[in-house]
Amino acid sequence: MKSETHKSLPFYQLCGMIFAVGLAGCSTSGAKDASKDPAVQEAQARITATELTAYCPPVTIREGTAIFNNYGKAPKAPENLIYQASIADETRSCQRNGGTLGMNVAISGKVVPGPKFSPGTLTMPIRVAVMEGSNVLYSKLYRQPISATDTSAASQFIFNDPNVSFPTPTAKDIQVFIGFDEGPDDSQAKTKTKKKK
């Protein structure tokens, strides 16, 4: 029996499903007791406790990484601000495959133009990291291109990483972080170190 409790879906579909489920949960008034339906009883018998309690780690915007101010090479002063990017919301979905847990992690946000803004394609440094205690199970820094052409209004953006993958956890102790990261790409540094050996 296949047991995919969560399927990877685009950000907007996930939000739509949450909204639809919420409406369904509010419209039970006057409905007959479905639990007495033989078809429902048969379906319930096929659902195992493991499937009902399937663990999909929550996503947290790491503290201090929800806002990204770009001043270019100029001093960090309000009059030199090119743009400010901010993360508004986050979501995720999970999928199990053997001994691996795969996740699709997504965020939505906006870019507000500053005094030095010029329309075009901006590059956002976004990192996704998975931690189990002090152990890093997954970490990737993206240089995400975002189109921003309006000089007088904010531009919306959506980013997702559908390739988050790590061994299926045996306890609910996984932390998934996402946020802007101006630091070096440590994954590339590790690759270069390995090549030198």
Side-chain angles (χ1 to χ4, degrees), residues 68-162:
F68 174 58
N69 292 319
N70 190 326
Y71 298 92
K73 296 181 180 180
K76 294 183 178 181
E79 63 271 16
N80 294 326
L81 180 66
I82 300 174
Y83 63 85
Q84 181 184 81
S86 60
I87 299 173
D89 203 359
E90 76 285 335
T91 188
R92 91 284 191 222
S93 63
C94 288
Q95 179 176 317
R96 284 165 175 75
N97 183 11
T100 301
L101 178 61
M103 295 186 71
N104 186 357
V105 178
I107 56 172
S108 64
K110 64 180 180 180
V111 177
V112 178
K116 300 294 184 179
F117 176 78
S118 295
T121 300
L122 313 177
T123 302
M124 303 292 174
I126 300 173
R127 183 180 294 277
V128 180
V130 180
M131 304 289 294
E132 184 179 35
S134 59
N135 296 324
V136 180
L137 303 182
Y138 178 93
S139 180
K140 187 165 183 180
L141 180 63
Y142 288 88
R143 302 293 181 183
Q144 179 68 16
I146 296 171
S147 177
T149 57
D150 194 334
T151 60
S152 60
S155 299
Q156 307 296 320
F157 72 88
I158 291 177
F159 162 85
N160 80 298
D161 180 356

Side-chain angles (χ1 to χ4, degrees), residues 2-3 9 11 16 19 25 56 79 86 90 105 114 121 128-129 166 178-179 186 193 197:
K2 294 183 179 178
S3 175
L9 293 173
F11 182 89
F19 180 69
C56 187
E79 63 271 16
S86 60
E90 76 285 335
V105 178
T121 300
V128 180
F166 50 92
I178 192 167
D186 52 4
T193 303
K197 289 183 178 180

Side-chain angles (χ1 to χ4, degrees), residues 176-191:
V176 182
F177 294 107
I178 192 167
F180 297 116
D181 186 352
E182 298 180 70
D185 188 344
D186 52 4
S187 61
Q188 291 182 0
K190 291 177 182 178
T191 302

